[in-house]
Amino acid sequence: MPFITNTKAKEPVDIFYEDYGSGQPVILIHGWPLSRKSWEQQVWKIVEEGFRCISYDRRGFGTSSAPWEDYGYSALASDLQAIIEKLDLNDAIIVGFSMGGGEVVRYLTDYGSDKIAKAALISSIIPLVKQKSDNPDGVAEKDLDGIIDALQNDRVGFLKEFSKGFYNFDENKGERVSQAQLDYDFTIASFASPRATIQTALAWMHTDFRSELKNVDVPTLIVHGDADATVPIETSAKQAAAEINDNTYKIIEGAPHGLNITHAKELNDILIGFLKK
């Protein structure tokens, strides 16, 4: 199986990746608490449209190794850097979903854009999830603390219910998302390292990327659903679009957080259009 070892990490980390197609490289960075498998409806389309598509498992998730410590965003971005370096990628397009948007922005902060042509933030947490006095539309701290408590006390029980809100299941079940998809997500999420699940949650909950948006100096696609109940659009995409200079901002009407599944065709059309532009 293909692994890339990040030897520059505090503890060497083995990152599992899949690499399909040829052409300009597109790197897909998945959301929390899933794995590269969440990109199933995008990988085939990206490859068929003439791009090289690389997806990987974040440390602690999927088939990648799970260190005990070091789940902050600079550590996570160093794994992305290791992939770009070891595969000798240039003119790459980095695409982050939800938590993965943090790796996109932190990579550009820590390593610059010399090897990056474009970026995309899909249902992204950028720039800030947590509610603060200067971010009133964010998620209340007590609700974030409740997630951590639930993960510590009954991780699999929490994860079993999490996908319902991820997809706005009651509104979208049947036509846009199946019960089998929720079961599949639960299998992926429950398989992840319990430690990594909590530590990466703390990272996306509390990292404030607002001061880093100036470092996003490549053309950037921002896509968000206006029915996202997991990462409200007001605290994420709306702010990102106001602060990132060269951006294309697309709102998918009625789409939940997991629009990569529920609105896969709409997202794919927008994404491929941006990749080809």
Side-chain angles (χ1 to χ4, degrees):
M1 293 189 292
F3 286 90
I4 285 175
T5 301
N6 181 356
T7 56
K8 297 177 183 177
K10 290 181 181 179
E11 176 184 336
V13 179
D14 296 322
I15 300 298
F16 181 86
Y17 72 100
E18 292 180 324
D19 187 351
Y20 299 111
S22 59
Q24 186 176 14
V26 178
I27 306 173
L28 302 179
I29 308 161
H30 67 82
W32 181 95
L34 300 172
S35 75
R36 74 190 188 285
K37 290 181 179 295
S38 62
W39 290 110
E40 179 177 340
Q41 292 300 321
Q42 284 68 53
V43 170
W44 68 268
K45 183 65 173 176
I46 290 169
V47 173
E48 283 195 357
E49 293 292 339
F51 295 89
R52 178 182 179 184
C53 187
I54 300 158
S55 58
Y56 69 93
D57 291 334
R58 180 178 289 108
R59 60 171 67 191
F61 294 84
T63 313
S64 292
S65 65
W68 186 252
E69 302 289 354
D70 216 13
Y71 287 96
Y73 267 107
S74 285
L76 301 178
S78 76
D79 296 335
L80 174 58
Q81 163 64 9
I83 289 170
I84 291 172
E85 182 179 295
K86 296 292 178 60
L87 297 181
D88 194 22
L89 303 179
N90 291 287
D91 200 32
I93 301 170
I94 48 178
V95 181
F97 178 88
S98 190
M99 178 184 180
E103 275 109 320
V104 170
V105 174
R106 185 57 57 85
Y107 175 89
L108 293 169
T109 295
D110 288 354
Y111 301 100
S113 57
D114 288 350
K115 293 182 176 292
I116 308 301
K118 298 177 183 177
L121 304 173
I122 313 298
S123 294
S124 170
I125 55 97
I126 296 299
L128 176 62
V129 172
K130 186 178 178 180
Q131 186 181 75
K132 294 185 174 183
S133 59
D134 60 351
N135 188 47
D137 294 315
V139 180
E141 185 168 14
K142 65 178 179 61
D143 295 330
L144 298 176
D145 290 344
I147 292 173
I148 298 301
D149 287 344
L151 289 170
Q152 290 174 332
N153 294 316
D154 184 11
R155 181 180 65 94
V156 292
F158 171 83
L159 294 172
K160 188 72 172 178
E161 296 297 315
F162 180 72
S163 290
K164 293 179 181 178
F166 200 84
Y167 296 117
N168 294 358
F169 186 65
D170 288 342
E171 292 82 4
N172 291 308
K173 61 183 175 182
E175 182 179 353
R176 289 194 176 274
V177 63
S178 65
Q179 179 62 49
Q181 180 68 52
L182 268 63
D183 296 341
Y184 182 52
D185 283 9
F186 172 69
T187 300
I188 295 170
S190 60
F191 181 73
S193 157
R195 172 75 173 177
T197 302
I198 292 174
Q199 292 302 303
T200 52
L202 291 170
W204 64 253
M205 288 176 180
H206 298 293
T207 305
D208 187 345
F209 288 97
R210 288 178 293 185
S211 66
E212 297 182 43
L213 296 182
K214 64 181 181 295
N215 302 320
V216 183
D217 59 356
V218 295
T220 300
L221 173 67
I222 301 169
V223 182
H224 219 92
D226 64 4
D228 190 331
T230 304
V231 179
I233 194 170
E234 291 81 6
T235 192
S236 53
K238 186 176 180 180
Q239 292 189 48
E243 297 296 329
I244 295 173
N245 285 330
D246 186 1
N247 78 79
T248 301
Y249 181 27
K250 299 289 186 180
I251 299 172
I252 300 181
E253 184 177 354
H257 192 62
L259 52 78
N260 56 314
I261 298 294
T262 62
H263 293 68
K265 184 181 186 306
E266 294 92 327
L267 173 60
N268 288 353
D269 288 347
I270 293 169
L271 181 59
I272 296 301
F274 175 74
L275 297 182
K276 290 187 170 183
K277 185 169 68 174

